[in-house]
Amino acid sequence: MATVGASDAIQPVRRIAHLDMDAFFASVELLRFPELRDLPVVVGGSRSGEPRELRHYVGRGVVTTATYPARAFGVHSAMGLMKAAQLCPQAILLPADFDQYRKYSRLFKEVIAEFAPSVENRGIDEVYIDFTDAEGGQEQGGRRLALTLQQAIYERTGLTCSIGVAPNKLIAKLASELNKPRGVTILYEADLATKIWPLACKKINGIGPRMNERLERLGIRTVGELARCKRDWLSEQFGANQGAWLHAVAWGWDDRPVVTHSEPVSMSRETTFERDLHAVRDRALLGTIFTRLCEQVAQDLQRHRYVGRTIGVKLRFDNFQRITRDCTIDDATDDARVIRRIAGLCLKRAPLERRLRLLGVKVTGLRQRDQAVATDAAAGDSKDLPLF
DNA sequence: TCTGGGGTCCTAGGACCC
DNA sequence: TCTGGGGTCCTAGGACCC
């Protein structure tokens, strides 16, 4: 036991919240179509249109979000819509309306910012919130502030969310899942063995299907079973970095800070064709699509005021195999014609015998446009300086 | 009638430089 | 002129997340 000094008495305990909107896209749609509440509803398939029964769907879309009644039929996100239609043909299919989701995303995040200054974006429908120094963030382990946030978000948006509060992001993320929807779950370090160890390993953020399969082959299914493995043994199985990480997360250790600001690394556009296309026979159509993707990426860069130096293409073939080719140029750009020319060179390095299912264009190595101009000017100046 | 679109981070080999 | 070790950049692929 460490010596307790006078200052420790008022030292706040680190409390991190994870807030996750309940069935976000579908819930936003239900604000527009309240008569569909309590029915199985599925959002997905980007082609626009009116609500219709899922049984009539033909195409390559996937489920983006399913309401809880739809989930009862085994429908879940990332599932192909054709398969979802087999499980629940009477479900109502709504096309995704990302402008609306972005609008409600801004709204609920504005509400949170009024109560807590330190918020980390994790995509359109999730955030981490540092409760440690926020008003009420320490009361009842964070429950009071969590309930306040839930209520305020509901009043201002009509949307519900689930919140987990815990000593770190890892546990908070797991906690927010435990009582969905409309749940508030408060966890402490002492809850590790009873609340976290019984969970399946794949519930941990960062353990995906591949890692989970490897773990299962080693006879490890739950977080508790993972915690019983020696760290050195895990490092032998998974490499030093991953082994150490697996050991740490199984014991609930995570010191990642809440990151309130980050710069984008890349911007990309991609599209899956309605039918697989052949590089020669569908050359004209592919060319049109390719140019449009380049223009869209350029517009995205310009809108957000970024330029990038590395331009790449992504191809997915009819057998689902994926390849990428990229090329770095000297001067960062946001020009559609430059992007199109360089991406075209990348495409020439790719094998094009198989039919294509998907084509994508990506720009990475981003810098803010104004900074890039300033830095380039400075670099230009320095060229004129003597080396010594 | 399988399997979207937009991201992040990590690894690993080779080039190139000091 | 037979033999280094870092460090950084570039490219390709893979795992994972929302």
Side-chain angles (χ1 to χ4, degrees):
Chain A
M1 204 63 195
T3 311
V4 176
S7 64
D8 292 327
I10 52 163
Q11 190 74 19
V13 182
R14 186 165 133 94
R15 297 299 287 170
I16 307 295
H18 179 257
L19 183 152
D20 194 11
M21 300 302 287
D22 297 326
F24 183 56
F25 295 178
S27 301
V28 171
E29 296 296 340
L30 289 178
L31 296 174
R32 263 210 306 163
F33 303 106
E35 67 276 16
L36 299 181
R37 204 167 284 277
D38 304 325
L39 294 179
V41 171
V42 162
V43 177
S46 51
R47 321 273 184 249
S48 60
E50 286 302 300
R52 55 186 171 146
E53 283 199 328
L54 187 53
R55 74 175 87 240
H56 300 128
Y57 179 82
V58 179
R60 296 179 144 177
V62 299
V63 175
T64 309
T65 318
T67 58
Y68 289 89
R71 291 180 199 190
F73 289 86
V75 176
H76 56 80
S77 48
M79 175 182 282
L81 283 170
M82 301 292 273
K83 184 172 180 196
Q86 290 179 343
L87 294 172
C88 189
Q90 73 275 27
I92 304 298
L93 172 64
L94 298 171
D97 180 353
F98 281 91
D99 288 340
Q100 280 294 106
Y101 311 148
R102 274 190 285 269
K103 181 184 131 189
Y104 279 94
S105 181
R106 276 195 301 274
L107 264 178
F108 90 78
K109 287 171 186 176
E110 278 171 20
V111 175
I112 295 168
E114 292 171 14
F115 293 88
S118 181
V119 181
E120 175 177 338
N121 262 316
R122 297 298 296 191
I124 199 160
D125 71 335
E126 289 184 20
V127 292
Y128 288 104
I129 312 162
D130 198 333
F131 270 24
T132 310
D133 298 314
E135 195 180 331
Q138 296 280 340
E139 285 178 46
Q140 303 159 47
R143 181 180 301 276
R144 198 181 73 88
L145 181 52
L147 290 169
T148 302
L149 284 172
Q150 263 190 337
Q151 182 67 24
I153 289 171
Y154 184 72
E155 283 169 7
R156 295 266 288 276
T157 66
L159 299 169
T160 69
C161 62
S162 296
I163 303 178
V165 194
N168 58 47
K169 287 160 76 168
L170 170 78
I171 307 295
K173 168 94 177 159
L174 291 166
S176 70
E177 286 256 344
L178 289 180
N179 288 300
K180 265 186 155 296
R182 296 170 182 246
V184 167
T185 305
I186 309 298
L187 291 185
Y188 303 92
E189 276 172 53
D191 296 319
L192 183 73
T194 55
K195 299 286 177 33
I196 302 301
W197 281 358
L199 300 175
C201 291
K202 61 171 178 281
K203 294 281 183 188
I204 287 175
N205 197 244
I207 298 182
R210 294 303 174 111
M211 175 93 78
N212 190 244
E213 205 190 307
R214 288 178 70 185
L215 287 167
E216 283 194 345
R217 263 189 271 131
L218 294 164
I220 302 162
R221 267 200 58 257
T222 67
V223 182
E225 287 163 359
L226 186 60
R228 278 202 290 275
C229 300
K230 291 261 189 293
R231 191 175 69 168
D232 288 349
W233 182 81
L234 287 170
S235 291
E236 282 168 28
Q237 302 296 323
F238 295 93
N241 289 348
Q242 276 195 332
W245 178 78
L246 283 169
H247 186 258
V249 296
W251 283 88
W253 300 333
D254 173 26
D255 58 6
R256 291 171 301 163
V258 171
V259 178
T260 56
H261 179 80
S262 63
E263 287 290 318
V265 173
S266 68
M267 290 188 193
S268 67
R269 288 288 187 130
E270 65 186 52
T271 187
T272 295
F273 313 130
E274 288 180 33
R275 62 177 175 90
D276 296 339
L277 299 180
H278 192 276
V280 176
R281 286 195 289 282
D282 299 304
R283 189 189 163 88
L285 176 55
L286 272 170
T288 304
I289 294 169
F290 190 39
T291 300
R292 180 162 46 82
L293 289 169
C294 294
E295 288 166 353
Q296 286 172 329
V297 175
Q299 284 166 17
D300 294 340
L301 288 165
Q302 290 158 18
R303 183 154 19 93
H304 294 102
R305 298 181 177 275
Y306 282 91
V307 290
R309 280 185 60 219
T310 303
I311 292 153
V313 298
K314 168 170 141 184
L315 306 176
R316 201 192 299 279
F317 298 103
D318 54 1
N319 62 355
F320 230 68
Q321 186 208 349
R322 191 200 76 166
I323 65 157
T324 60
R325 294 290 180 270
D326 61 46
C327 176
T328 300
I329 57 177
D330 288 338
D331 298 314
T333 188
D334 61 0
D335 185 321
R337 288 161 304 178
V338 174
I339 293 169
R340 166 70 214 230
R341 182 165 57 81
I342 303 300
L345 296 176
C346 293
L347 211 48
K348 285 194 173 148
R349 308 206 312 264
L352 292 171
E353 289 79 38
R354 297 201 73 101
R355 284 173 182 274
L356 295 172
R357 178 187 179 89
L358 170 148
L359 180 58
V361 175
K362 167 144 109 170
V363 177
T364 61
L366 300 188
R367 286 184 299 179
Q368 287 181 25
R369 188 173 59 192
D370 303 338
Q371 276 185 13
V373 170
T375 312
D376 289 349
D381 289 346
S382 72
K383 279 179 198 147
D384 301 322
L385 296 171
L387 280 170
F388 299 104

